[in-house]
């Protein structure tokens, strides 16, 4: 008896329920399918992180990972039949692309069941509902119910939980093995399960207690940087939550952010159209700019050349590293929507291209929160003032000085009082005027 364990966004061996489910079916072949549709994405850093994660997984399996390329609905049935698998085991994928893919694979497998055990979330999308069975539209009651439902303790799986099949001895001629690509992109975080566990341990020791107070300050590096590991399942949030002592403020604040991750996955699961369309359809009527001038403003925003220091620092950090702290994501997103009046989808697309942790649920709903079109979004009429935000959350100016060399020696990095160095661009818009314009456009939506 044999089973196929198909890895996707769960690139680890510890706390992996489908691994234990596969072990019950006999010897296990581990495989990963490089999907050309995903490989074609303009997201080089994320692909590098994925490929590096795969290399670590393969090493942890002593090389016993079959990597092949093609459409999963072709490759998975071929491999499953090749080893005469009684089942194909996966961790469930609720994102729109993954859900559609799995439907096709399930159909192509015919008699062989595709068995999903667990998911990348603490509570899987679809499980947290109101008493009437409806999805929550607001985070706070979701959070309450989510905690009531709760989750299992970590699954006791590991590399020795199963007898692994050697891909070399089983792959038939129909299944082409391939190398894991290496685009040669440099990343500022190492990939893989061991790195995830190490980083989490360091954060629990050195950062967690300060998390509630430091998380909004980009110059303090007060967050965990676990997002890319969570995105690719190098660690399960269950493993992390087991380390949270909820009597303390820092761990409680951290749990809340993990709940946001589950919330947005659930929202997208219930409304797959909200990946690229407004969750609140009233916002379909909002006027956005899309002409040549808009394109120029967009180019300045992407390049970090808007003349607003905190916005430019964030955009330059994103471009240089593929990461941006949450507070700065909010400021830069708000600026694109409410100061430049561009469609949030433009910004979301750029983020997805740049971010190592780019995730369709968190990103699109993070954007919609800022744009006012999402679930319990920031009220549209509350327009961030980028200079005030900069002064408040980067009070020393160190974050701005680090990412904007033109301002490296400025006394007043947020340029409230100080001289603007001639090498640094003037503001591309007048915030006061654009704020009024944003409110005017919003008022028209309300009136219609
Ligand atoms: C416009 C915008 C776009 C975003 N795009 C993404 C994205 O593509 N991928 C992504 O993982 N997060 C995204 N976020 C959420 C958040 O900014 C990142 O998760 C966070 O900055 C990652 O850094 P960290 O791991 O140090 O976070 P920490 O503060 O240490 O948080 C721990 C974990 O909780 C989760 N989390 C934290 N904040 C949020 C949040 N607001 N929404 C959902 N989950 C959260 C993440 O998995 C994160 O790794 C976005 C937020 C905004 C405002």
């Amino acid at each position: 008896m044999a089973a196929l364990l198909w890895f996707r966004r769960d690139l680890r061996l510890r706390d992996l329920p489908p691994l234990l489910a596969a072990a019950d079916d006999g010897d296990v072949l581990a495989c990963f399918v490089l999907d050309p549709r995903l490989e074609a994405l303009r997201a080089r850093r994320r692909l590098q992180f994925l490929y590096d994660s795969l290399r670590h997984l393969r090493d942890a399996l002593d090389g016993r990972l079959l990597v092949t390329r093609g459409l999963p609905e072709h490759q998975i049935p071929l491999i499953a039949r090749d080893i005469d698998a009684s089942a194909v085991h996966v961790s469930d994928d609720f994102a729109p692309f993954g859900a559609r893919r799995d439907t096709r694979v399930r159909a192509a497998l015919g008699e062989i069941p595709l068995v999903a055990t667990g998911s990348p979330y603490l509570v899987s999308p679809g499980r947290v509902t109101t008493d009437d069975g409806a999805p929550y539209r607001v985070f706070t009651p979701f959070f309450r119910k989510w905690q009531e439902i709760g989750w299992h303790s970590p699954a006791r799986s590991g590399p020795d939980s199963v007898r692994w099949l050697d891909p070399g001895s089983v792959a038939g001629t129909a299944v082409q093995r391939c190398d894991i690509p290496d685009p040669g992109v440099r990343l500022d975080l190492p990939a893989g399960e061991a790195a995830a566990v190490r980083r989490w341990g360091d954060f629990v020791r050195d950062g967690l207690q300060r998390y509630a107070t430091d998380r909004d300050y980009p110059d303090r590096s007060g967050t965990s940087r676990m997002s890319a590991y969570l995105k690719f399942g190098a660690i399960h949030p269950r493993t992390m939550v087991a380390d949270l002592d909820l009597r303390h403020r820092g761990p409680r604040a951290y749990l809340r952010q993990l709940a946001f991750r589950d919330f947005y996955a659930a929202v997208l699961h219930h409304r797959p159209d909200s990946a690229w369309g407004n969750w609140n359809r009233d916002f379909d009527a909002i006027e956005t700019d899309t002409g040549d001038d808009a394109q120029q403003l967009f180019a300045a925003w992407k390049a970090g050349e808007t003349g607003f220091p905190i916005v430019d620092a964030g955009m330059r950090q994103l471009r240089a590293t593929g990461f941006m702290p949450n507070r700065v994501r909010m400021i830069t997103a708000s600026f694109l929507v409410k100061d430049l009046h561009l469609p949030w989808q433009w910004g979301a697309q750029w983020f997805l291209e740049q971010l190592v942790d780019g995730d369709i649920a968190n990103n699109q709903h993070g954007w919609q929160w800022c744009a006012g079109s999402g679930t319990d979004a920031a009220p549209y009429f509350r327009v961030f003032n980028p200079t005030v935000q900069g002064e408040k959350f980067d009070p020393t100016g160190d974050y701005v000085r680090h990412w904007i060399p033109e301002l490296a020696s400025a006394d007043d990095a947020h340029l409230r009082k100080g001289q603007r160095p001639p090498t640094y661009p003037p503001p591309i818009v007048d915030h006061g005027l654009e704020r009024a314009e944003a409110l005017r456009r919003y008022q028209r939506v309300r009136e219609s």
Side-chain angles (χ1 to χ4, degrees):
M1 287 270 283
L4 184 61
L5 179 59
W6 174 24
F7 284 93
R8 297 101 64 87
R9 281 185 51 191
D10 43 6
L11 304 178
R12 66 180 184 278
L13 297 174
R14 278 186 252 179
D15 192 3
L16 185 63
L19 190 158
L20 296 178
D24 285 344
D25 283 355
D27 293 354
V28 177
L29 177 65
C31 82
F32 187 90
V33 182
L34 296 166
D35 186 330
R37 292 167 301 189
L38 294 180
E39 290 197 283
L41 289 178
R42 271 185 296 173
R44 291 178 67 237
R45 288 197 194 88
R46 199 153 61 258
L47 287 171
Q48 182 77 49
F49 197 86
L50 163 68
Y51 299 143
D52 289 351
S53 307
L54 278 176
R55 269 183 279 279
H56 285 286
L57 179 65
R58 186 189 56 193
D59 292 349
L61 288 165
D62 289 330
R64 289 166 302 188
L65 176 70
L66 171 65
V67 180
T68 182
R69 177 174 282 113
L71 294 177
E73 57 265 40
H74 297 157
Q75 300 301 312
I76 292 298
L78 274 181
I79 305 168
R81 296 206 175 96
D82 216 2
I83 62 168
D84 201 12
S86 55
V88 176
H89 290 271
V90 292
S91 165
D92 219 346
D93 191 342
F94 289 90
F97 177 88
R100 285 194 303 271
R101 175 203 55 209
D102 287 356
T103 302
R104 284 194 296 270
V105 171
R106 191 167 273 119
L109 277 168
E111 304 272 276
I112 308 172
L114 180 69
V115 182
T117 315
S119 78
Y121 300 100
L122 281 160
V123 185
S124 292
R127 289 195 56 214
V128 185
T129 58
T130 63
D131 293 342
D132 305 338
Y136 281 100
R137 302 162 67 88
V138 179
F139 174 73
T140 306
F142 171 94
F143 185 39
R144 217 174 293 125
K145 188 74 171 279
W146 178 83
Q147 285 173 287
E148 270 167 40
I149 293 178
W151 41 87
H152 298 289
S153 44
R156 294 176 170 278
S157 68
D160 302 326
S161 306
V162 296
R163 280 224 315 271
W164 297 103
L165 288 171
D166 179 357
S169 64
V170 290
T173 48
V175 182
Q176 297 266 325
R177 296 177 67 183
C178 65
D179 290 336
I180 301 169
D182 188 352
V185 179
R186 284 186 55 161
L187 299 174
D188 69 348
L189 277 186
E193 180 171 6
V197 170
R198 220 171 22 247
R199 173 142 212 114
W200 176 241
D202 290 349
F203 179 72
V204 169
R205 207 179 46 246
D206 301 329
L208 190 54
Q209 295 309 327
R210 288 183 289 112
Y211 180 73
T213 43
D214 284 6
R215 60 181 291 265
D216 266 327
Y217 294 88
D219 60 329
R220 297 187 194 168
S221 303
T223 65
S224 66
R225 293 293 313 268
M226 291 303 290
S227 49
Y229 298 117
L230 285 165
K231 160 78 192 168
F232 289 105
I235 190 167
H236 195 282
R238 230 177 358 236
T239 304
M240 296 160 64
V241 168
D243 291 330
L244 298 180
D245 180 347
L246 296 175
R247 289 170 307 175
H248 302 290
R249 215 172 132 224
R252 279 202 305 275
Y254 198 87
L255 183 72
R256 193 165 188 277
Q257 293 315 116
L258 290 177
F260 262 112
R261 179 175 177 270
D262 280 21
F263 178 55
Y264 287 147
V267 171
L268 186 62
H269 169 62
H270 291 292
R271 284 280 309 280
D273 62 299
S274 69
W276 292 103
N278 291 311
W279 180 85
N280 177 351
R281 297 215 174 97
D282 292 350
F283 275 77
D284 291 354
I286 201 140
E287 199 186 323
T288 54
D289 296 345
T290 55
D292 289 348
D293 290 351
Q295 289 290 352
Q296 274 183 23
L297 294 173
F298 185 45
W301 178 83
K302 288 195 289 188
E305 300 277 344
T306 67
F308 289 87
I310 191 81
V311 174
D312 292 343
M315 296 309 295
R316 293 187 196 190
Q317 180 185 17
L318 177 67
R319 210 179 163 112
T321 66
F323 183 76
M324 194 196 286
N326 184 61
R327 169 59 54 178
V328 192
R329 292 187 203 202
M330 286 157 60
I331 297 169
T332 54
S334 169
F335 187 80
L336 178 125
V337 174
K338 294 181 187 171
D339 284 85
L340 304 184
H341 317 295
L342 305 180
W344 64 261
Q345 292 88 341
W346 289 16
Q349 176 64 40
W350 177 249
F351 269 33
L352 284 180
E353 288 173 23
Q354 298 296 313
L355 285 170
V356 180
D357 66 28
D359 174 85
I360 196 80
N362 287 352
N363 190 58
Q364 309 311 81
H365 282 283
W367 270 92
Q368 295 216 49
W369 186 88
C370 298
S373 61
T375 51
D376 55 357
Y380 194 86
F381 51 81
R382 206 176 292 154
V383 179
F384 277 179
N385 177 322
T387 308
V388 173
Q389 287 284 314
E391 288 168 336
K392 186 165 175 199
F393 293 108
D394 178 28
T396 60
D398 285 349
Y399 175 73
V400 159
R401 280 191 209 89
H402 181 82
W403 290 107
I404 307 184
E406 302 96 295
L407 299 178
S409 51
D411 289 338
D412 169 22
H414 298 291
L415 299 174
R416 169 83 74 182
K417 305 174 278 295
Q419 276 282 1
R420 185 173 290 262
T423 48
Y424 184 61
I428 54 170
V429 291
D430 177 319
H431 172 69
L433 292 179
E434 303 312 335
R435 176 177 181 279
E437 174 62 13
L439 295 180
R440 187 191 63 78
R441 294 184 188 207
Y442 176 57
Q443 192 55 33
R444 283 182 44 181
V445 170
R446 292 190 63 191
E447 282 162 9
S448 68

